[in-house]
Amino acid sequence: MTTRYFHSVTLDKEKCRGCTNCIKQCPNEAIRVREGKARILEERCIDCGECIRICPNHAKLAVTDTLEKLSEFKYSIALPAPSIYGQFEPGVSIEEVLRAFIDIGFDDVFEVALAAEAVTYATRRFLENYRGSRPLISSACPAVVRFIQIHFHSLLDHIVPIDTPMEVAGAMAKAWAEQALGLKKEEVGVFFISPCPAKVTAIKQPVMKEKSNVDGAISISLLYGLLSKRVSTQMKTKGVGCSTHLAGKKETEEESHGKEGHHREGWVDLVRPLRGDNPFLSTGRGIGWGRAGGEAQALGGWSILTVDGIHNVRGVLEQVERKKLLGIDFIEAQACTGGCVGGCLTVQNPFVARVRLRVLAEQHWNKRPALDEDCLDNLIAAGAFTTKKVEPRPVMALDEDVARAIAKMDILEKTVKELPGLDCGACGSPNCRTLAEDIVRGIALETDCTFKLRERVKALAEEMADLAGKIPPAMGLEKTGGESSEGK
Amino acid sequence: MTRIDLEFTIDALDFVHAGEAASRVKRTLEHVGMEREVVRRASIAAYEAEMNIVIHSVGGTMKVTILPDCVEIVATDRGPGIEDIDLAMQEGYSTAPPHIREMGFGAGMGLPNMKRCADDIRIESAPGRGTTVRVIIRPRHAA
Ligand SMILES: Nc1ncnc2c1ncn2[C@@H]1O[C@H](COP(=O)(O)OP(=O)(O)OP(=O)(O)O)[C@@H](O)[C@H]1O
Ligand code: SF4
Ligand code: SF4
Ligand SMILES: [Mg+2]
């Protein structure tokens, strides 16, 4: 078992003061403080970003790409997450935000919100034909998918086997650029503009496909300053802006190259009618995906439960596992409070962003959808949206062998009883039970508990005092008599 | 020793902590690396057993024994007991009062669900004395 895990969430050792704030916040008990510094147990981390939010010393950070990476490609396309629309002042239009991406150096921009509409359509078709056990669970939040991989193995089959809006946007944008501009696959770089580290990890190490369609991820927070400057100048000089968006040059009617050829043509067919001056093509249905409840609202028509915040997600999934959620067809579960607007790489207060996004979605709710349903049906039939099955990640087991794991668990239970039960975290583990677990796993000692250490020191001190009283007989001090010779 | 014994005290009508014992059982099975179907079935059985004590009894205990080839759940309470066990086992039969039903319980599905999850289920009950429900769940490879 030597799987290496990539993680976007990492530690800045210099800044970490070992304060133990983050170890308690982690929903997966994946952080320990050892030798004065936080350490992430990489097989457990789901990149939810809770520790980034809580760290008072800004020692937890998300590794993402930067604008420099654009130069690695001949043609770069930004794929902004819907949540970005809620980050700006109310007067700023979505079109302005999208055009600003061209101003800051991208060659093109393609909305993930639009891809979200394609995913909504595919999910609806899937739900219509689905005869398996319900509720189905959305695959959109990668932190939730990873959480299920670790803790809810019996629910893996409930995850909708449909690609995320990010992946679909990547496929659409790339296919189009290749076809319309006659570029090679490697020459086109598509960059997700991300609200969270979980998406970054989903690109570098996807669980629902072999390789991501997306080439990189840049955080919303990194670009926000640049974008808002452009957005405000645009407002003054209305109408000026770039319009390279999907304008394409000549349509080269070359036959497709590469294995995914038939999908690529399908994506191109889907995007072809969208070409034009305005990069803003999504409707309220896609825009809403950036906040909790948006996916459900876009789907409509089913009994859908929306849950946000990873601790709440756990509670709901427990109920599903216990077969206690009857009459629910679908669960939209997001690790961040408020949905993606609550992602730790966004800048706006999530509650503010949430209401802005809702207003924007309402404004554009009745806009005519841009995507052609026949094209979508063809793509669905060809399996263009289909993902591979999600495999379990049984990282919680104390041993690969059940019998040995039981023996260790037995020791764990007994160890817990010995510990003070204060859950103070001073040992560097989040609570007494996890310290017991760490002891059993061999990565901690009982004396890491300050109270246990004190007990041991006290016992040692007593023993020392006792020993000090035991003067060797050769030194012949008669006056102590028999009282100190209790012996063992 | 290749055996774990867990014991939980369960209080009547304690809805704040209801479900915690079942969660602990699940987490323990996760640590043990038990196959996913056993985890699922044991989670359901433990939860239903726990909730029946919370809702229908004056309080009791749940003991869980985990062996490599078997999970045993024994839920015992101090009363009031079940009048007609066959009737209680029927889907949809419930004596839960309206205020409990409002909380989403009382569909009369608990015992039938436990039966579906169990390789063996035994209920002993005497009105006025109490109820003991014993459930055995075995991994497929050992069944
Ligand atoms: N421990 C118990 N003590 C007394 N009566 C019980 C006990 N467990 C079950 N019963 C009786 O058996 C009935 C059926 O139990 P069952 O668990 O199947 O359904 P329920 O608890 O009423 O509803 P649900 O489990 O669906 O929430 C109960 O309504 C109750 O009358
Ligand atoms: S919260 Fe965690 S990462 Fe931040 S300083 Fe404290 S121990 Fe270090
Ligand atoms: S809810 Fe959205 S922002 Fe948060 S982890 Fe999931 S995908 Fe990322
Ligand atoms: Mg019941």
Side-chain angles (χ1 to χ4, degrees), chain A residues 324, chain B residues 47-53 55-56 93-94 96 105-112 114:
Chain A
K324 277 286 148 190
Chain B
Y47 179 73
E48 296 294 357
E50 181 180 1
M51 291 317 296
N52 277 356
I53 296 182
I55 292 171
H56 304 294
Y93 175 80
S94 174
F105 304 102
M109 291 303 292
L111 290 172
M114 284 167 84

Side-chain angles (χ1 to χ4, degrees), chain A residues 121-408:
Chain A
Y121 186 83
T123 307
R124 209 179 280 147
R125 287 279 166 277
F126 186 83
L127 268 163
E128 278 164 7
N129 299 315
Y130 180 71
R131 297 282 165 270
S133 75
R134 291 175 189 231
L136 283 160
I137 302 167
S138 168
S139 65
C141 175
V144 168
V145 170
R146 281 174 194 263
F147 197 63
I148 295 173
Q149 270 189 303
I150 293 176
H151 296 294
F152 293 93
H153 298 171
S154 70
L155 301 183
L156 287 166
D157 297 338
H158 290 238
I159 300 173
V160 180
I162 292 177
D163 249 338
T164 59
M166 174 184 81
E167 289 296 340
V168 170
M172 283 169 87
K174 217 165 192 169
W176 175 254
E178 284 172 45
Q179 178 85 4
L181 305 172
L183 293 167
K184 288 206 207 78
K185 202 172 177 179
E186 322 79 75
E187 293 174 328
V188 184
V190 291
F191 292 87
F192 183 60
I193 311 305
S194 183
C196 68
K199 288 282 189 192
V200 180
T201 302
I203 293 167
K204 311 270 180 203
Q205 202 174 65
V207 302
M208 297 186 73
K209 58 204 297 143
E210 296 306 330
K211 195 180 170 301
S212 173
N213 300 330
V214 181
D215 300 291
I218 304 178
S219 70
I220 290 180
S221 53
L222 188 76
L223 300 185
Y224 186 73
L226 287 171
L227 290 170
S228 36
K229 227 184 279 165
R230 307 300 153 139
V231 164
S232 51
T233 50
Q234 273 184 20
M235 288 217 283
K236 277 179 236 124
T237 56
K238 266 250 150 54
V240 186
C242 180
S243 58
T244 56
H245 172 74
L246 298 176
K249 287 174 191 151
K250 244 180 289 122
E251 229 172 279
T252 42
E253 290 299 337
E254 260 176 77
E255 70 272 38
S256 55
H257 30 112
K259 280 200 200 92
E260 320 93 79
H262 60 295
H263 286 180
R264 210 189 70 186
E265 271 170 24
W267 293 125
V268 171
D269 287 343
L270 185 64
V271 184
R272 184 178 290 120
L274 308 178
R275 290 189 312 159
D277 248 8
N278 192 345
F280 173 39
L281 297 162
S282 64
T283 72
R285 275 154 247 269
I287 298 165
W289 271 65
R291 66 181 177 92
E295 184 183 356
Q297 203 182 6
L299 273 170
W302 276 274
S303 157
I304 302 172
L305 183 151
T306 296
V307 57
D308 54 319
I310 192 73
H311 294 281
N312 299 329
V313 169
R314 182 197 279 270
V316 166
L317 294 178
E318 269 185 354
Q319 291 214 39
V320 178
E321 188 166 60
R322 291 164 181 167
K323 290 256 184 296
K324 277 286 148 190
L325 263 189
L326 303 175
I328 304 282
D329 298 316
F330 188 87
I331 295 180
E332 176 197 338
Q334 281 160 305
C336 298
T337 305
C340 296
V341 286
C344 66
L345 302 181
T346 61
V347 290
Q348 186 57 266
N349 174 299
F351 295 93
V352 174
R354 194 173 177 171
V355 70
R356 291 207 177 136
L357 208 59
R358 207 195 65 212
V359 170
L360 285 168
E362 274 166 13
Q363 275 170 9
H364 300 285
W365 194 262
N366 292 321
K367 186 174 165 185
R368 223 182 111 244
L371 298 174
D372 180 74
E373 297 196 348
D374 290 336
C375 282
L376 285 170
D377 283 327
N378 289 341
L379 280 160
I380 293 166
F385 287 90
T386 312
T387 55
K388 67 171 192 174
K389 260 186 72 148
V390 185
E391 296 298 326
R393 251 167 81 178
V395 298
M396 299 307 286
L398 295 170
D399 200 294
E400 281 173 35
D401 175 70
V402 173
R404 262 179 301 173
I406 289 179
K408 287 185 183 174

